[in-house]
Each structure stands twice: as structure tokens, then as C-alpha cells.
DNA sequence: TCGCTTGCTGAACGATCGTATAACAAGCGC
DNA sequence: GCGCTTGTTATACGATCGTTCAGCAAGCGA
């Protein structure tokens, strides 16, 4: 009889993408402590050695996963803003609401983010990626706040406060999802944002 | 010559306290990934076996450390409120400001908290402790908001928003301390709180 | 159909993890 | 001063960690 191939050869880029996806799933399911080379390789259906072969080490794989997940989140937020139309306030609300609604508020994704946070202290590369991500999120919020009429002097602080509000709700939504529903978190964020911006101008 | 004792016998309660303090220091310095039995025992100046002897396992030690750190934070917040005098708004501001100022905003303490968060998914006991801690913090905020005149229907959501605001600032202060100064975070929180409460009534 | 490139495997390595346990000794009570 | 309680140490165990690497084999090109 003809034996089927023991494994399939895949071009490097596709294999790397496959490993990144598997890493994201493991991080979401088991947290940072469970994201071992062997667990990720098992999830991807390959041998442990492939991680070292394509990424050099598990740290680089996790960093790449961070970058990819963040790109997806960023794209989803941009899409939500674009779909909200031209009204500045509507665009602002869309940005904040989308951050706390599926698919971004998906529990697995939030767990993945927590895992990244827990690695910030130990991995300088992850810390650098976090700074970039936080800066991007706040810059996006600043731009929308400026559109909505928040005056320039208060812009930075209002954006920081709004970012913190969203992050805090996001965090609690992940740590204990039963405290409040996803929809409630988004509503609280919108109401809070109204309060924050009414003070600033 | 007379050889000095190889170790000192300490009563269980004192030794447990010593191990908890060592655990907190290790968590602050190296994060959750570095909080191994051996690292904690080395920090405390004892042998690794003592952790098992006094706590049964490392999980119980970490949970006990969480409980103790949280008690210290809670006590510091209560003291800040008490020192603020009778004015409701001043008491509210004191509660929020104290959360983002030393010694609570101490970087080591915030790192400790991040380590706890990273353990919430894997350790049900830690998750339970987090729920209790979050509930206590929000309840304290709700009481102060009620004093300050926030009407009952908006109380819950205002408290959730304010808690999220503080947690988000706290988080960013820990992940990248260079983003803003400690004093700035507290100021942003006070301004944001004013906005949140002005909307609610 | 055959050879060659190279993606891939799987075993092995040393380090470190949490835990269990037998032996030791500090220091109190007598 | 001496025995006893028990806090403490030191070691050993099995599991799992990240990484390495020699060799296999998939599948394209000739």
C-alpha cells in the first residue's frame, strides 16, 4: 500500500503564520505560563523544533504574535470608525464601543493581552511593542477627540483618561467576565467618555 | 571555638509573614514567571522545603501574598480618606489620588499586581481573591460617590467607570512608567472623576 | 525517474520546576 | 545539663522547560 506523507512541506511565511495563530490560541486558552514551545507546536500540529527553526526562539514567536494580534485589533477599530460615518461624536463612540464589544472584547483575545502584559517586565522586546501599541491607541483616540472638538490643551490628558477608562473596563471584563456584560461595559464607556469630554471643553 | 547556630527557629506565624514578604519582593522584582519556590526561599534566607512546610505549596503562598498586599493597599486607602477630613468631594479625591500616588503607585507594588493578574486564569483561588478585591475597591468608591451626591441609579455605573479609570491609569503606570509622571496620573484621575460624576447627576 | 534543496522531525541535553521526605538541630521545659 | 518537640535543612525524584542538531524525506526541477 502507498503510505501517505508523514508531514507536509509549507513555505516559510505560511508556516510562520500558522505558528503565530497557534501561539495566540494557546495564550488565550492557558495564559502565558502555558505557552511553552511544546504546547504551541502541538497546537500547530508540528514538531517542537520548528519553532526554533522559524523564529530562533520562543520569545521571538511571542513577540510576533503580539504584533499580529495588535494589528488585527487596530484594523478592527479602524473599520468600526470608518463604518460610523462622518459625525465626529459617532466616530468617537464607535472607536470606544468597538474596543469593548466582540470581536475585540472576545474573552480569548483579552486573555491573550493579559498574557502579553505579564511578559512586559521580563521581555524588553515585548515592552517596546506595548509602548508602540499604547501610543497608537492613544493617538487614534486623540485624533478622534480633536475631531469632536476637544481643545488642544486638554487633548493629551483627555486621551489618556479615555484610554485608561477603556483599558480598565477591558481588564475587568477579562479577569472576571461575570461582573458585567460586554454590552454594559461599552455603554459605561460611552457614558464615561461623554463625561470626560464635557469637562475638557 | 564556639560555632554559631546554622539557622534560627522562628514561630510559625512570624516565619509565614517573612515568606510572604519575600514572595512579594520576588513578584515585584521578577514577575510571576520568576516567583519559584527556590527564588522565594533564597530571598527569605531559608531552604526551599520551608515553603511546602508552612504553606503546603507555592500556590497557597502566592494567594496569601495577594491577600496581604491587598490588605495593605486597602488600609492605605482608608487612611488617606480618613486624613482628608469630612468634605465628601475631598474624601473622594483622596481615595482616587492615593490609588495613583506612592506608596500604592510604587512600581514594585504595581508589578506585583500585574503578576497576580497573570495568575487569575490559571489559579481559581487567585481569581476568587481578585473578585473580592475588586468588589471591595468598587464598594468603597460607591460609598464615597454616594456621599458626594451621585444619585442611586447612576451609582453602580459611575463606580465601575471610576474604578476602570483608576485601574487603567494604574496599569499604564506599571507597564511603561515613562509615559507620564506619578503626579500627572493622579491629576488626570481627579479631572476624569470630576467629569464622570458631573454626567451622573 | 532521479537528485537536490531544504522544510521538518525527533531525540537528547542541561537547567529548573514543585513536591516529598528523612535526617538534623535549635531551644524550651524539666 | 538533658531529653523532646518540632522548625529547618538537604537531598532526591519525576516532570517540564528552551534549545540544539544530525538526519530524514517531501516535492520540485531536470
Amino acid at each position: 500500500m502507498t503510505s501517505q506523507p508523514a508531514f507536509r512541506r509549507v513555505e516559510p511565511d505560511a508556516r510562520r503564520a500558522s505558528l503565530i495563530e497557534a501561539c495566540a490560541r494557546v495564550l488565550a486558552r492557558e495564559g502565558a505560563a502555558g505557552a511553552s514551545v511544546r504546547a504551541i507546536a502541538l497546537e500547530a500540529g508540528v514538531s517542537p523544533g520548528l519553532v526554533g527553526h522559524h523564529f530562533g526562539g520562543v520569545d521571538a514567536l511571542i513577540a510576533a504574535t503580539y504584533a499580529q494580534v495588535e494589528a488585527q485589533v487596530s484594523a478592527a477599530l479602524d473599520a468600526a470608525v470608518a463604518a460610523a460615518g462622518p459625525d465626529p461624536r459617532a466616530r468617537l463612540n464607535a472607536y470606544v464601543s468597538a474596543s469593548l464589544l466582540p470581536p475585540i472584547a472576545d474573552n480569548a483575545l483579552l486573555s491573550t493581552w493579559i498574557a502579553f502584559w505579564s511578559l512586559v517586565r521580563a521581555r524588553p522586546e515585548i515592552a517596546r511593542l506595548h509602548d508602540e501599541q499604547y501610543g497608537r491607541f492613544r493617538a487614534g483616540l486623540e485624533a478622534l477627540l480633536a475631531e469632536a472638538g476637544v481643545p488642544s490643551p486638554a487633548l493629551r490628558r483627555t486621551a489618556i483618561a479615555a484610554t485608561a477608562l477603556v483599558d480598565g473596563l477591558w481588564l475587568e471584563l477579562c479577569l472576571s467576565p461575570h461582573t458585567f456584560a460586554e454590552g454594559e461595559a461599552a455603554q459605561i464607556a460611552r457614558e464615561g467618555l461623554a463625561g470626560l469630554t464635557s469637562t475638557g471643553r
Side-chain angles (χ1 to χ4, degrees), chain A:
Chain A
M1 66 181 183
T2 57
S3 63
Q4 59 181 353
F7 60 93
R8 282 196 327 153
R9 290 169 76 99
V10 176
E11 66 177 5
D13 283 345
R15 183 64 80 188
R16 267 190 281 267
S18 166
L19 283 169
I20 286 174
E21 288 171 14
C23 180
R25 285 196 298 272
V26 172
L27 282 173
R29 190 199 317 132
E30 310 184 39
S36 68
V37 171
R38 286 170 179 80
I40 295 168
L42 180 65
E43 177 74 23
V46 298
S47 80
L50 253 198
V51 172
H53 184 264
H54 283 296
F55 289 91
V58 71
D59 288 18
L61 170 55
I62 292 177
T65 305
Y66 192 176
Q68 201 243 18
V69 169
E70 193 260 325
Q72 287 179 347
V73 168
S74 189
L77 290 181
D78 290 344
V81 170
D87 179 59
R89 176 63 63 168
R91 289 161 63 83
L92 186 56
N93 276 336
Y95 193 76
V96 171
S97 295
S99 299
L100 295 166
L101 252 26
I104 293 181
D106 174 68
N107 191 269
L109 182 60
L110 292 169
S111 300
T112 305
W113 222 269
I114 278 274
F116 288 139
W117 285 340
S118 74
L119 296 174
V120 165
R121 302 215 87 225
R123 314 277 158 86
E125 172 71 7
I126 300 285
R128 194 180 60 79
L129 288 173
H130 163 76
D131 285 356
E132 292 178 9
Q133 178 272 327
Y134 179 82
R136 254 191 300 275
F137 188 90
R138 206 187 69 195
L141 212 38
E142 270 193 31
L144 292 172
L145 287 169
E147 283 183 24
V150 173
S152 181
L155 203 52
R156 170 183 150 85
R157 288 185 181 169
T158 305
I160 289 178
T163 302
L165 177 64
V166 171
D167 282 351
L169 288 169
W170 201 5
L171 177 64
E172 184 59 19
L173 207 51
C174 171
L175 290 176
S176 41
H178 56 275
T179 302
F180 39 75
E182 283 167 341
E184 190 183 12
Q187 185 175 355
I188 290 172
R190 283 194 301 271
E191 292 173 0
L193 187 65
L196 293 177
T197 51
S198 68
T199 296
R201 52 179 167 183

